[in-house]
Amino acid sequence: MTNPWWIIGGVLFVLLNAAAGLIWLERRMLALWQDRYGPNRAGPFGILIVLADTLKLFFKEDWIPPFADKVVFVFAPAVVAASVLMSFVIVPFAPGIVVSDMNIGILFFLAMSSLGVYSIVLGGWASNNKYALLGAMRGASQMISYEVFMGLALMGVVVMSGSFNLSVIVEAQKNVWFIFPQLIGFVIFLIAGIAETHRLPFDIPEAESELVAGFHSEYSGMKFGMFFIGEYLGITLISAMVVVLYFGGWLGPSFLPPVIWFVIKTFAFIMLFILLRASMPRPRYDQLMEYGWKVLFPLSLLNLMVTAAIKLWLSTH
Amino acid sequence: MPIIHIDNKPYEVKDGKNLLEAVLSLGFNLPYFCWHPALGSVGACRQCAVKAFRDEQDTKGRLVMACMEPVRDNMRISIADSDAAGFRKHVIGWLMTNHPHDCAVCDEGGSCHLQDMTVMTGHNYRDYHFTKRTYNNQYLGPFLNHEMNRCIQCYRCVRFYKDFAGGKDLDVFAAHNHVYFGRQQDGTLESEFSGNLAEICPTGVFTDKTLKQHYTRKWDLTTAPSICQGCGLGCNIIAGERYGSLRQITNRYNGDVNGYFLCDRGRYGYEFVNSKERITEPLVRHYPGDAANGQPVLHHVRNRMKAGKVIGIGSPRASLESNYALKELVGAEHFYLGISENDHELVSLMLKILQQGPVRAATMQEAAAADAVLILGEDLTNTAPMLALSVRQAVRRIPVQEVVSSIHMPAWQDAAVREAVQESKGPLFILNVLETKLDELAAGAYHTAPDNIARIGFAVSHLLSGQVPEVTGMSDEGKAAAQKIAAALKAAKNPLIIAGYSSCNEAVIKAAANVAWALKEQGIDAMLSFTVPECNSMGLEMLGGHRLDSAIDEVMNGNAATVIILENDLYRRMDQHTANHFFDRCKDVILLDHLFNATAERANILLPAATFAEADGTLVSNEGRAQRFLQVFTAAGSMQESWRWLLQIATLNGHPVLQHLAHLDDIVVAIQQRYPVFTGIESLTPPADFRMAGQKIPRETHRYSGRTAMQANLHVSEPKPPEDEDTALSFTMEGYRGEPPSSVIPFFWAPGWNSVQSVNKYQVETGGPLHGGNPGKRLIEPKVNAQTKFYMEAPQPFLPLSGHLLLVPVYHIFGSEELSVHTPGIAERMPAPYIMLHSEDARRFQVTEGHLLYFTDKGHQYALPVIINDKLQKGAAGIPVGLPHMQVAEAPQLVKI
Amino acid sequence: MFSLLRSMWLIFLHMFHKRDTYQYPEQKAPLPARWRGRIALTRDPDGEERCVGCYLCAAACPVDCISLQATEDEHGRRYPEFFRINFSRCIFCGFCEEACPTYAIQLLPDFEMAEYNRQNLVYEKHDLLINSQGKYPGYNYYKIAGLAIHNKDKGDAQHEEPPVDIKSLLP
């Protein structure tokens, strides 16, 4: 076992850089899919735009509106980054590279992603601005709703692997990735994951065409940067979780080390997220809720029941 | 009240009006050109066509001209009818056939009635593709620009100039489609009211030439309601500014005062505001060894104000607020009226007569409605020009009434009424030293010395009332005149007696009062109108103070060391030798004024005082009407209102009352509390915190342009616009867009009505009072049941003295007023100094026209070129008053030749 | 559902399409003739200033960034005494050009006017006036307007009759 501090440090370093790099990546990819170039001036391929953006954010006026609830206003963006980073604690990047291989991994992940709601609600509330509050309310209901069947969808995997421990789940996919038996669960989890990170097409809490910038309308400077980073960390997290739960985590042909397989798979899903943003229109808020509760929720229950039934049938035969 | 149906909706209208007036009063938009509320209808332009229906069943109807159609009960008309609308559109199309493609270079553009009406009728595209008629223009003097190509032949100009204002030198020439409106040859328009042509003309034939020197569109002007400073009548004006200079004066309709018109002194006399002679920064002239350099100027002022040694000299051309502030600052016992002995005697007498007598002072509109007029010793055209215009209307009243009652012709049928009236005139009697322009209208005009005028006046009052003793030793001619006048006045219902300052004779004023009171005693509703020399003469007299002579004595006796002079050139109040002597004896002279004048040369400390365009203040007009003028723009440099300077001095000195005052509203309330005679001036304009729909009233139109560029040459970041803490108006274009209260209308504009004709939308009815009442408050009302104390002593008849001449003042509309002569155009029309003699006197002193006449006054020699005028009383000599470089100050007086 | 996947696929394929972007400083964008860029004051065919100082551009300007003062030469021809545009406020809407009755003010296909110092964005008349007729060659306002100027008296403009002889009695 290596020193856990190295792992923590390594994970933090990689994640934060990845999140920052994602800003560049997303802009470049969106541009490519829209027949543009995207940021291509600063440094090779424009990669230094990340540095420039960060510098810009640092030098922006850190402004707190006079009408805001100051303590909560400052606190909210910290919550989002912290809760997402905490979720990464249980992600097994490769055998032995995991911060805490706890046996309630999935539950911890669900708990942490629920905490993320607070940042939105508190940020929107503290801004004391009608658009921010509307965004926060949408975000809260959206995240709480989609969390329900996100958890339910996951249960199929848990049933199949018989464990909440993510390393065990990965190991359980040695023969066949859960994507095949759990296709429905995967689809539901993916959709819920998008909703959970409130990415397009489900960016309803910050729908700029209706709500300015939703819950973070009033944020600027590095506080806005925290929301920004939080969002990209969220994408990375959901992608990583999808890989861990349904695509065999680090598993892959042995010509590449396991951690590379993990990274490649995660990266592919991140690209999928960006492609979604490039191609999907935003649904209406009521459509989103209706879709969640009337379609995904029963489907996820059905998936769980069928999975459980088959598992039961298999175990008794 | 008749009910008329317009487009099938019933409306109640006023009887005796024509349809156009009724429709406009109801707020409809109906185009017109030749009709004007003050001029009546002639039906020349065919623009106001509407459809009239016989009854409810009639669907065909017929086209009628609204301005020629009296309102009748149950009348059914349609404005929107397609025939009528099409007719109006075609009429304007025809009017436009010869109208040039000029709007971009036309000064009328943006405030053009023709533009408005063209848009209103929907004539959008020119159908006419043939050649256009052109005209050559004329030079019409320094006030008006002529561009005949633009004429649409509505005849308004000649109807105003000739028929209304009595001008002789503008007429219509040639025939058919060649008619030409102009003079017989190039030359200055002679009428004193020519400037109104710029507003009367519905398009750009006559435009304001002074505006052209610094041309600005109406929408770009920052405007504010103001009061004319040209004479004591208090005409309401709108003053407009752009790029820090005053650009234009236009009429501000006030149904009680000036109505639709202004005189040329008022309209063009504004350019002193932009003068290079302006005092823009405080100036301290140091004593040798005075180490006070670098101190704020107010400290210098304080250092030189030694307790008990300071006197203040007020001014009849400064606002009530400034005079009050000075009076409080130096104390009532040290406050002196800055007016000559004569003016003081006369104005205080007028005030006494109006305050204590039973006869009321006439407003100018009441004067225009008088049915008999007696003018005692006044050349109104030169001393109170707009009152002369009122008298011109009054003279028409009796004959027009006869026509109206005998041939049942409504009074607004202008052409027909003039045809019926012909040359017949109502009774007007003029007694003056010289001939006046109104003489042509008079049933009797007598030219004699002021004392003799007073004697005839006394004789008239004797004939009217037994209480006044007979005047002994009257000439037969005088007796006949008095009898004729008395008979005419007795027959009138509301006769008007006019006297004033220009006769410089108390007895004339008393005679006027006697005549009016005697008529009142007879149960005749007589009115008085006194002219006063300056815009706030009446207000200053009501405020009260010691005579200027006492101030001179105080200084000469060494009782006073420091003199604070408020907006006053003492060289105009006394002869230059006395003034020089006075200033020699003053230790310190502190002057607050606009221009570097002779007094400014003698002052130790100069404080730059804002003119009417840069200041808020209150003036009291000759009828005792208090009116407020509001600041148009923030002056450059350190210029600010005199009262603000004085309040700042008072604050520095710790004055018990004044140090608590800061804004206009504070000082107005303080005046009212201290001097109950001014009760009511507080509500002349809404207070500074007045808001409409939560907003201030903007001084700028919603089309005001260039805000982000006009000062960009100095710095690309726009400065914060100045804030107005004194009034309810704002200096920007932001604010309430509807109709403001009548006292604070900064400009007349209504949707679709960009020209001055939009005033219709601000009136209760066309030509009637403004919504919410005409602004201003009359502070002097007669004592209804007062015991009339007639003046008993008629003066002795004037007898020429050998070797002497009685100098009598001759006033000139262009030249006699101190500030307006700084307008180049007015200076151009100013006469050269002269002395006017009867030919017999000239023979007696062996001079002829053009010779210099030498005479002595108080031991000083003067020489003036001679002008011969046989209308002048023998033994009297007329000298022009107030002209720059006229060093003889005092008239009337006997001088030795 | 299929349509979503299809659109995702189609958008993915855009990755291999040609870029629409102009790589600006190296590669200039072709600007159409009616591009609304830098504002200029043009001259009439005789080489005189077209602007007559009518203030319509200033009135039309939604950001009020034009200010001028009209004046006249000794023959009555109007021209602006000063003409100032504050380009730090200008939004290049082209209303001024539409409002101009003399084709004097024109927006040109040139947008490269950035400055490090905002004050340099304030253009005075000598910065704005160009020696060209711009987009409307041949137009001369004074040839149409009725006003007399130097070398063009009353009746000399297009479609004008000679001045009326008011002393004539002929019909």
Side-chain angles (χ1 to χ4, degrees), chain A residues 202-217:
Chain A
F202 296 150
D203 66 337
I204 284 168
E206 48 190 286
E208 64 268 75
S209 46
E210 311 154 34
L211 296 181
V212 189
F215 62 92
H216 62 62
S217 297

Side-chain angles (χ1 to χ4, degrees), chain A residues 16-77:
Chain A
L16 291 177
N17 279 307
L22 275 181
I23 297 172
W24 170 79
L25 182 72
E26 174 158 40
R27 288 178 62 183
R28 277 314 290 255
M29 293 316 292
L30 284 177
L32 285 181
W33 285 320
Q34 292 166 357
D35 296 349
R36 297 182 287 117
Y37 289 108
N40 63 349
R41 295 272 163 180
F45 302 105
I47 187 97
L48 290 184
I49 193 78
V50 177
L51 197 66
D53 271 350
T54 319
L55 278 173
K56 183 193 77 176
L57 281 175
F58 269 114
F59 285 104
K60 282 253 167 157
E61 185 187 2
D62 189 19
W63 192 71
I64 299 176
F67 44 81
D69 183 337
K70 292 196 177 47
V71 177
V72 184
F73 190 83
V74 175
F75 180 63

